[in-house]
Amino acid sequence: MSNANLLIAANTVWVVIAAILVMFMQAGFAFLEAGLTRMKNAAHIAGKNVLIFGICSLVYWLVGFGIAFGDGNSIIGTHGFAPSVDVMLAVGKAPYSFFTTIPGAGAYLFEVVFAGVSLAIVWGAMAERAKLWVYFVFGVAFTLIYSVTSHWIWHSGGWLFGLGMQDFAGSTVVHYQGALAALAGAILLGPRIGKFGHDGRANPIPGHNMPYAVLGTLILWFGWFGFNPGSTLAVVTGHHIGYFGYVALTTNVAAAAGALGGIATAWVVLKKPDVSMMLNGVIAALVAITAASGFVAPWAAIVIGFLAAVIAVVAVPLVERIGIDDPIGAVAVHGLAGVWGTLATGLFAVPALASNLATGRGGLVYTGSFHQVGVQALGLVAVGGFTFTASFGCLWTLKRLWGIRVEEHVETAGLDVSEHGMWGYPEFYIPVPGGYGTEAHGHLGAPHMHRPALEQEPAPVPAQPAEEAA
């Protein structure tokens, strides 16, 4: 075997491992989102991560991968749809001539898990009130929307790539774009029942399981070591062997700074070291460093991560104040932190690293020029305008034709039982021998008043935990 083939083999092993790490982030989103929402929706919220990844995987193979990375023009890929065996095994050949370090199949696997992450973000702001079938229809639509902007920024023939836009692993492509679609959905769905009082003030609706949210955040942090370092697509990047190790370093120190920035900002702004805000700080920092991870020095990564956490903690209540109900904080954590990370790359990009990656120029701090900041801002405007308009238009059409929000009694009962005929926590709602509310658990206090069997009509309304009763 030649040295060139050995290098391709090593690249493929690394990229496939990184793809598996990114896919594991779906488990992180499942725990995080289920933990930050109410128990009557826990199974629905967690289960949709499996559903949407299945939808995305098939649509991306059939159409999305060709749109994003197939040979074409500066706007869209026009080749590589439903790729065959020969195409998937080839390296650096049409229709996927962009991928010169790994075969087409490895490229598909790595890119589809990114599309799945962006789609997972969308549903965070739509949680607890969107109809199940909307996942199917908008899941298909958003996968295509995502693929178009991927081509603009990541394909060597894309128009924003040609201008030198720096988005190493997707602060704009994955996170900002997912948050924009989430914002469109939250606006069209309206707030959850009881979220806002008659005076317009937001009522807290706490999540039911903070340890789940913590576990989800740690899984996401872990998965991000596939997300950012894997975006090298090779074990040799430019003039550096093992450059993915450096990317992992900047990713980690940014996340660490985000944890400290999140809890410190919550202590100052909210007067309490809120654990959920610490978690938001970690994720916001990871979102922000995603664009910059291959371009900036470690000190800049720390600054980017810390300030991303500050932005997220301040922005979460601000989003509520303008009347938007975002149960997971997707708009602030993925949207605004994504904007900051994209612009921060234009501020802090090291000229030598930009040259090594052959993408854009050095940032304002090093060059004194606003050129790279301007390119980054242009990319944000273009992606923002296209994604929000397309997402809002699609969801608005679905709303007008069939409705995208569940009925009031369905939302009140919870999506677990109403949409799926089951509960994420059945012992809290139905009699189970020796379960919660029986003599075996008498030490827990007064028993729950269990509803009769499921076959009663109308559908039973599960008793809510005290933290939800408001």
Side-chain angles (χ1 to χ4, degrees), residues 27 36 57 74 107 111 123 132 167 194 207 220-221 253 267 287 294 302 346 350 402:
L36 293 179
S57 294
S74 62
E111 298 301 339
W123 307 112
L132 181 65
D167 187 10
L220 289 172
W221 191 338
V253 296
W267 216 330
V287 168
I302 294 171
V350 178
W402 300 291

Side-chain angles (χ1 to χ4, degrees), residues 166 243 294-296 349-363 372:
Q166 297 168 341
Y243 191 67
F295 292 98
V296 301
V350 178
L353 298 183
S355 176
N356 181 64
L357 295 171
T359 307
R361 306 179 185 178
Q372 193 61 47

